[in-house]
Amino acid sequence: DPLLSDQWHIINDGNLRPTKFVKGADVNVEKAWELTTGDPSIIVAVLDEGVDVAHPDLKASMWVNEDEIWKSHEDNDGNGYAGDVHGYNFVRKHGVISTDDLYDTGHGSHVAGVIAAVNNNGVGISSIAGGNASQPGVKIMSCQIFSGMYAGTVLEEVRAIKYAADNGAVILQCSWGYISGAANPFEWTPQYSTDEEWEYYNVLERKALDYFIHNAGSPDGVIEGGLAIFAGGNEAAPAASYPGAYPDFVAVAATAGDFTPAVYSNYGPGCKIAAPGGEWLGVSGDYSTMILSTGKGTEHPGTPSISSLNHQYVFMFGTSMACPHIAGVLALGVSYAQKLGKTFTREQMTSMLLTSVNDIDHML
């Protein structure tokens, strides 16, 4: 893949640029690829802006509901959603996933690319669990809850979460959250500080996420229960944002390409793991310390892209970018369990994730 050399977060040999890169400050995926590159039976639901389902590096990785017809107004499979071929647009209430609403950033496509852009196809980027040109990797289900300047209601979010569980997703990728309750009140409007606060004010959201973690997967399949992964938050606060901070979920903090915490990342209580999220050094025209992934194919002001590829590949940074690295690693792990014919519970898989890490204190 021609842009892999710019993806320090996938393979970091320390030589990408003169500063801010240390060998090994990546997700250590290269050795894992010797065991598996992903399995198409493993579905990751991306709750975000829409994913560009026609993107040349993503279209082969999109989940396909074979019983539905694109743009159909009929619910052919009887699941309550008409035309949901690659997922569902819960904001617009139809099966057409969109990336072209006013102020769409390509955020959904970007996180999807980190997880499952097709590897080794001679096109664009590489990903963590995207298989390769001859062997498909994990599949992306687009559960669209944001559309440019519009966001779905809590009820639509709840429907999206239940849809993901009911239609085969075992990992819920959520690069969003509320402002950390520990955020600086002079810069932010802090929200929830305790589990009890979040539960009290977000009963429906809690119930939907409970439904996912307890009802996704199958006791007869590779994993019993679902895994919900959230961005830890970008307020530089000493506590993670909710819902990710809740004990049943995984909130992800962000690191830079030299093993240091990203300057914006939340940290401390509630942040269970860290992964590459990148950062911007403010050097004009040099975005190499950010995360390069798939974009929506059209320009969004303020989002740097590799212009020769027509905005199909863009740089972003944040715990939003760290989050899909963890979702991708989990997807790869579940894929390997599938290959071995093993079954794990949600708790077992989470425990393996949180214990198979590098202690970055020894890396600095």
Side-chain angles (χ1 to χ4, degrees), residues 215-283:
N215 292 280
S218 166
D220 301 319
V222 65
I223 185 166
E224 182 178 358
L227 300 151
I229 315 302
F230 284 87
N234 301 327
E235 301 90 53
S241 302
Y242 281 89
Y246 197 73
D248 288 339
F249 318 135
V250 175
V252 186
T255 56
D258 60 355
F259 287 113
T260 59
V263 293
Y264 53 80
S265 181
N266 291 353
Y267 58 94
C271 292
K272 296 185 177 69
I273 196 168
E279 56 187 0
W280 181 48
L281 298 182
V283 180

Side-chain angles (χ1 to χ4, degrees), residues 66-102:
E66 301 285 358
D67 295 325
E68 286 290 350
I69 300 170
W70 182 247
K71 294 188 177 181
S72 173
H73 297 291
E74 300 294 326
D75 179 17
N76 293 306
D77 64 354
N79 71 348
Y81 297 91
D84 56 321
V85 175
H86 299 299
Y88 197 75
N89 185 335
F90 290 88
V91 183
R92 301 297 186 186
K93 299 178 177 60
H94 55 61
V96 179
I97 307 300
S98 68
T99 60
D100 57 357
D101 278 312
L102 185 63

Side-chain angles (χ1 to χ4, degrees), residues 3 105 110 285 287 290-316:
L3 300 180
T105 65
H110 198 273
Y287 303 102
M290 298 164 71
I291 303 297
L292 178 63
S293 186
T294 44
K296 62 174 185 168
T298 55
E299 184 175 8
H300 175 74
T303 302
S305 66
I306 296 182
S307 58
S308 62
L309 295 175
N310 195 30
H311 310 289
Q312 290 177 332
Y313 300 91
V314 299
F315 293 95
M316 293 184 179

